[in-house]
């Protein structure tokens, strides 16, 4: 009885803490708490589905699936930043209480992206059936029909789901990212169930695997769209009547800046493995990636907590609630300090964890782990201010710096590794220096906008 009362007391305290503060703060806390539980479920689901999928088909077929999935995923660039533009503009409309404008932005985004991705689906499917795919991926030609069917399913799934997932942007913009993550989790669980059923009833093939992994997530977003647009988001049901050509410009103008920033980040961060392979060895690539995955836990955990902050800042900035923004930044900086302490503990335990995780086959030096920790801690610090600036929509400085930072990164890697021979750690040092926007410019921009109320270049 005492234990039960104690448990209820603790739950009551937690609920009281979550609901304490302004409506914006309470919503942020709720979504952070829910996102943590949903993320745990998502990780567990992904851990279970991988061995089950390999058992259903085989390593070769699963590897083929991963390869074609990653290729098709590049189609997301045809979004050209519309969804990020919607995220900010929808939040602004809600903060101003302009639900008609919110519906206009939503409808315009649905119409434009539907046209783009319908056309893309037709073109991609025509290309898939017009050329031989197997030689490009160095696969057995006898599997060509199965491969074409799987690619057709994958392309259709990706294009349809990309449009359906506009709902995810609406939920995130309304500071409800946990609801979006929950839909993804239901899709994952549906795929897990489908793979289990197919494994017990039919022979494994790439086409059948594509059905199991694509249809449940798509159904999850269809059901979610019907549910949310009939319930809490009836006021912004997408309609061709509400789509406006003049709304494309504000959505695309902001979105294109996000798009260029995203491209620059991919160029910078996806070339690290290439540089390490070229300047050192494939063994070094393995060492780098093991250390990266180990310390990336810190970043992933922090980003779960930080995700609602972007749209909350948009809401607060639109309503001129600068005090809330300052309070939010201070709280996240304290949280970043705790994450740093956790990272130091991980660093001290890294040798034992590596041996338990991967055995003696790969040796990860303490220096590499230390530099990896520095890289992630600085990235986390910068992410706080970059998320804030993204929420405000003051992207000009970040946009310009994103055009320069990849060049700085490449030049420093070549200088440090090839000419100064500082070793593989120089790749991480170069990444830290190239993140000058997150470490220097974004904090200065925050101070100028929020603390000094400056405009001009700072708010552009």
């Amino acid at each position: 009885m005492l234990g039960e009362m104690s448990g209820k007391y603790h739950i009551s305290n937690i609920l009281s803490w979550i609901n304490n503060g302004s409506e914006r703060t309470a919503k942020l806390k709720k979504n952070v708490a829910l996102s943590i539980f949903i993320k745990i479920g998502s990780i567990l689901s992904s851990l279970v589905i991988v061995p089950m999928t390999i058992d259903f088909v085989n390593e070769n077929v699963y590897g083929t699936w991963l390869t074609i999935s990653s290729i098709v995923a590049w189609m997301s660039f045809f979004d050209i930043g519309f969804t990020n533009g919607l995220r900010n503009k929808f939040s602004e409309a809600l903060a101003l209480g302009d639900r008609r404008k919110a519906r206009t932005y939503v409808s315009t985004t649905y119409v434009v992206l539907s046209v783009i991705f319908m056309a893309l689906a037709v073109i991609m499917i025509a290309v898939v059936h017009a050329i031989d795919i197997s030689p490009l991926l160095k696969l057995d030609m006898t599997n060509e029909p199965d491969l074409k069917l799987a690619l057709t399913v994958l392309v259709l799934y990706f294009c349809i789901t990309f449009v359906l997932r506009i709902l995810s942007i609406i939920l995130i913009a309304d500071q409800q990212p946990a609801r979006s993550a929950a839909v993804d989790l239901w899709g994952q669980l549906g795929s897990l169930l489908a793979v289990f059923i197919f494994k017990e009833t039919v022979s494994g093939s790439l086409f059948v695997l594509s059905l199991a992994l694509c249809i449940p997530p798509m159904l999850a977003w269809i059901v979610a769209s019907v549910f949310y647009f009939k319930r809490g988001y009836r006021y912004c049901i997408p309609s061709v009547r509400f789509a406006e050509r003049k709304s494309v410009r504000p959505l695309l103008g902001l979105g294109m800046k996000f798009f260029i920033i995203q491209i620059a980040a991919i160029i910078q961060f996806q070339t690290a493995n290439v540089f390490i392979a070229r300047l050192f060895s494939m063994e070094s690539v393995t060492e780098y990636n093991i250390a990266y995955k180990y310390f990336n836990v810190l970043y992933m955990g922090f980003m779960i907590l930080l995700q609602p902050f972007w749209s909350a800042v948009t809401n607060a900035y639109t309503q001129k609630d600068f005090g809330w923004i300052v309070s939010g930044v201070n709280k996240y900086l304290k949280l970043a300090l705790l994450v740093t302490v956790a990272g130091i503990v991980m660093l001290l335990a890294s040798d034992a964890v590596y041996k338990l995780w991967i055995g003696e086959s790969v040796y990860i030096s303490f220096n590499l782990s230390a530099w990896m920790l520095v890289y992630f801690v600085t990235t986390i610090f910068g992410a706080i201010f970059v998320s804030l600036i993204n929420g405000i929509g003051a992207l000009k400085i970040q946009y310009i710096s994103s055009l320069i930072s990849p060049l700085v990164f490449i030049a420093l890697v070549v200088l440090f590794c090839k000419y100064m021979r500082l070793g593989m750690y120089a790749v991480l040092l170069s990444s830290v220096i190239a993140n000058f926007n997150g470490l220097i410019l974004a904090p200065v921009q925050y101070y100028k906008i929020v603390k000094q109320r400056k405009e001009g270049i700072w708010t552009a």
Side-chain angles (χ1 to χ4, degrees), residues 193-443:
L193 179 62
V195 171
F196 176 77
I197 293 172
F198 286 153
K199 187 169 74 74
E200 300 298 322
T201 55
V202 298
S203 299
S205 70
L206 193 60
F207 171 60
V208 175
L209 180 63
S210 70
L211 295 176
L213 297 182
C214 292
I215 291 180
M218 185 168 65
L219 288 176
W221 280 105
I222 291 173
V223 172
S225 296
V226 173
F227 176 80
Y228 282 114
F229 283 128
K230 283 199 170 186
R231 297 286 293 273
Y233 294 92
R234 182 180 287 274
Y235 67 88
C236 65
I237 295 175
S239 169
V240 175
R241 290 190 303 110
F242 280 85
E244 294 180 352
R245 183 178 297 179
K246 64 181 182 181
S247 294
V248 172
R249 187 170 182 178
L251 287 168
L252 191 57
L254 189 63
M256 276 300 291
K257 290 179 181 178
F258 279 120
F259 180 64
I260 298 299
I261 291 167
Q262 183 183 10
I263 292 288
I266 288 173
I267 292 172
Q268 180 176 330
F269 296 116
Q270 294 299 321
T271 53
N273 285 338
V274 176
F275 275 116
I276 293 170
R278 297 270 308 171
L279 297 172
F280 301 99
S281 66
M282 291 307 295
E283 289 77 12
S284 297
V285 174
T286 301
E287 294 167 18
Y288 178 90
N289 277 275
I290 290 171
Y292 184 95
K293 287 181 179 180
Y294 177 58
F295 287 98
N296 190 41
V297 172
L298 295 170
Y299 181 73
M300 288 193 301
F302 188 82
M303 292 309 292
I304 291 172
L305 305 177
L306 184 64
Q307 187 185 33
F309 189 54
W310 175 333
S311 295
V313 166
T314 304
N315 181 280
Y317 183 73
T318 303
Q319 296 180 353
K320 305 300 180 185
D321 192 350
F322 295 104
W324 187 92
I325 295 175
V326 172
S327 175
V329 169
N330 290 338
K331 288 174 182 176
Y332 276 109
L333 287 174
K334 290 175 183 176
L335 186 60
L337 182 60
L338 290 176
V339 170
T340 302
V341 173
I344 293 171
V345 174
M346 287 178 65
L347 176 62
L348 296 175
S350 61
D351 189 49
V353 174
Y354 291 144
K355 287 179 181 177
L356 184 65
W357 180 22
I358 57 174
E360 303 283 351
S361 57
V362 180
Y363 172 71
I364 314 295
S365 70
F366 183 84
N367 283 343
L368 176 58
S369 294
W371 273 108
M372 194 65 73
L373 175 61
V374 170
Y375 164 74
F376 275 113
V377 166
T378 54
T379 301
I380 285 169
F381 172 82
I384 297 171
F385 295 97
V386 169
S387 182
L388 181 146
I389 296 304
N390 289 345
I392 291 173
L395 300 177
K396 187 170 185 178
I397 292 174
Q398 186 180 176
Y399 170 75
I400 295 171
S401 66
S402 72
L403 300 177
I404 300 170
S405 60
L407 302 177
V408 172
F409 172 72
I410 293 170
L412 289 176
V413 169
V414 174
L415 175 65
F416 291 158
C417 295
K418 194 169 183 179
Y419 295 103
M420 298 179 67
R421 302 189 181 282
L422 296 183
M424 184 169 54
Y425 324 119
V427 175
L428 292 165
L429 175 59
S430 301
S431 295
V432 171
I433 297 173
N435 187 26
F436 57 87
N437 176 66
L439 296 177
I440 301 171
L441 299 181

Side-chain angles (χ1 to χ4, degrees), residues 71-115:
I71 292 171
V72 171
W74 281 87
M75 291 165 60
S76 63
F77 285 116
F78 285 91
D79 160 56
I80 55 176
F82 255 98
T83 50
N84 276 326
L86 174 64
R87 178 173 178 173
N88 277 38
K89 291 300 180 182
F90 187 81
S91 291
E92 288 175 11
L94 290 188
L96 295 171
D98 191 344
R99 288 191 165 189
R100 181 178 177 82
K101 178 61 72 174
R103 188 175 188 184
T104 298
Y105 285 138
V106 168
S107 298
T108 303
T109 303
Y110 266 98
V111 169
V112 172
L113 291 188
S114 293
V115 171

